[in-house]
Amino acid sequence: MIKRWELEANQIFCPFTAQKFPEVYQLREENIFECDMFVFCATVGVPSLGEEQEDVRMKQFEGNSKIISDYTRKAREKSFKGIFAIISDPVDLLCKAVFLTGNKDTSGEFDFKGLAADQIRGYGLGVMHARAVYYSKQNTETAEYNREGRAFGPHGQGLVIANSLKKYDESLSEMLTDQTVKANLEVRKTGFKPYVAPALSSGSYSLIATMSGEWHYSATFMGGVFMGAKNRLLKSGTEIERLDLPVILVEKIKESYKELG
């Protein structure tokens, strides 16, 4: 399997351009934290088609938290100083699990010798924003979302979509939020699991933006929880977008924050 991907990845090339492609090489497990960014995408499994509860991500937390805890301990042992990026569901809760697990000694006592909170980032909000954009285009009243709106909170239940920061409308925002949260179920109705959009919108594009210091959506540490919002990673640290928000929207975001806590 590893050799297959080494062969395949190194045979991706666009001729007659100045674009440079990174060399891909095989890596032994003991060397995985010799990097600037570690990306966790593994999962115990995605709920089968037909399991149509609204938030299938929560079913994955128990299994995925066990897998990620092993890598959390390895990162601690290696004194990893890079970014620990999480794409597996549910990203927000897994971020917190990584922080709590990695900062305990063998007796279970906190010693804070593991990953720092600002090293851990969760990537799930990007696709929620993309889904909101998709549904906003289907209604003239929400058509300005991509230019004026924002997404806040977790990747799933608790998500807050604001139709516009200039002309915030609670009913339109709630409609968009509901459509966005249930978007994965619409994909499942076609007979497929929703992989492609999350892999690109939450994964590839957001990871590249993080490494480039550009604005993107991801969950970062905010006062005890990992909360999704527009941010960028600079040399000085994480910069969260500052906004003048309507009071009613602020209250919704606070409620989402409390639920994550």
Side-chain angles (χ1 to χ4, degrees):
M1 176 64 77
I2 297 177
K3 183 59 179 178
R4 176 261 177 119
W5 283 110
E6 187 269 335
L7 289 167
E8 293 273 37
N10 282 312
Q11 293 171 28
I12 298 172
F13 192 80
C14 184
F16 315 120
T17 70
Q19 185 174 358
K20 295 182 179 180
F21 290 80
E23 181 179 353
V24 177
Y25 56 93
Q26 298 182 56
L27 192 66
R28 302 179 69 88
E29 187 171 1
E30 58 266 29
N31 303 125
I32 59 174
F33 284 106
E34 295 176 6
C35 61
D36 295 310
M37 176 183 279
F38 172 81
V39 183
F40 182 84
C41 302
T43 182
V44 169
V46 177
S48 302
L49 295 173
E51 295 184 19
E52 304 302 336
Q53 67 272 23
E54 290 191 3
D55 201 356
V56 297
R57 302 166 189 85
M58 293 308 298
K59 291 196 66 174
Q60 298 172 272
F61 178 65
E62 183 177 357
N64 289 348
S65 61
K66 292 178 181 178
I67 299 176
I68 205 169
S69 64
D70 292 334
Y71 291 95
T72 301
R73 285 187 282 270
K74 290 176 182 177
R76 174 188 169 99
E77 293 168 2
K78 294 291 185 178
S79 298
F80 181 56
K81 301 302 181 185
I83 297 297
F84 195 111
I86 302 170
I87 297 179
S88 300
D89 288 327
V91 300
D92 319 87
L93 299 181
L94 287 177
C95 282
K96 189 169 184 178
V98 165
F99 176 71
L100 295 176
T101 301
N103 282 288
K104 293 180 181 178
D105 60 23
T106 54
S107 66
E109 295 294 323
F110 282 100
D111 60 7
F112 297 99
K113 294 183 179 180
L115 293 166
D118 60 359
Q119 289 180 259
I120 307 166
R121 306 173 73 88
Y123 294 85
L125 193 57
V127 75
M128 304 310 271
H129 168 68
R131 287 167 174 167
V133 171
Y134 171 80
Y135 285 105
S136 71
K137 293 177 181 178
Q138 299 177 19
N139 187 332
T140 56
E141 292 185 294
T142 57
E144 297 300 312
Y145 168 76
N146 188 39
R147 288 180 288 275
E148 299 179 2
R150 290 292 188 278
F152 304 93
H155 175 51
Q157 294 297 332
L159 173 73
V160 177
I161 296 293
N163 73 299
S164 171
L165 300 181
K166 295 181 179 179
K167 301 176 182 178
Y168 178 73
D169 184 288
E170 185 177 16
S171 62
L172 291 177
S173 295
E174 289 184 350
M175 178 188 70
L176 269 182
T177 299
D178 184 65
Q179 291 174 318
T180 302
V181 169
K182 295 178 179 178
N184 66 315
L185 301 181
E186 293 302 310
V187 176
R188 284 170 165 263
K189 288 179 182 178
T190 69
F192 296 91
K193 297 177 183 179
Y195 282 127
V196 181
L200 294 172
S201 296
S202 285
S204 300
Y205 289 151
S206 296
L207 291 171
I208 292 171
T210 301
M211 291 184 279
S212 303
E214 297 174 354
W215 291 105
H216 66 281
Y217 281 111
S218 63
T220 58
F221 188 77
M222 299 186 197
V225 302
F226 286 84
M227 182 78 173
K230 180 180 175 181
N231 70 89
R232 59 181 175 178
L233 181 61
L234 305 175
K235 291 183 179 180
S236 56
T238 298
E239 178 185 4
I240 308 295
E241 181 185 35
R242 295 191 177 190
L243 299 166
D244 184 13
L245 302 175
V247 174
I248 189 171
L249 177 56
V250 171
E251 292 304 313
K252 286 182 177 294
I253 295 172
K254 284 184 178 179
E255 187 60 33
S256 178
Y257 178 88
K258 291 177 182 177
E259 290 178 6
L260 283 172

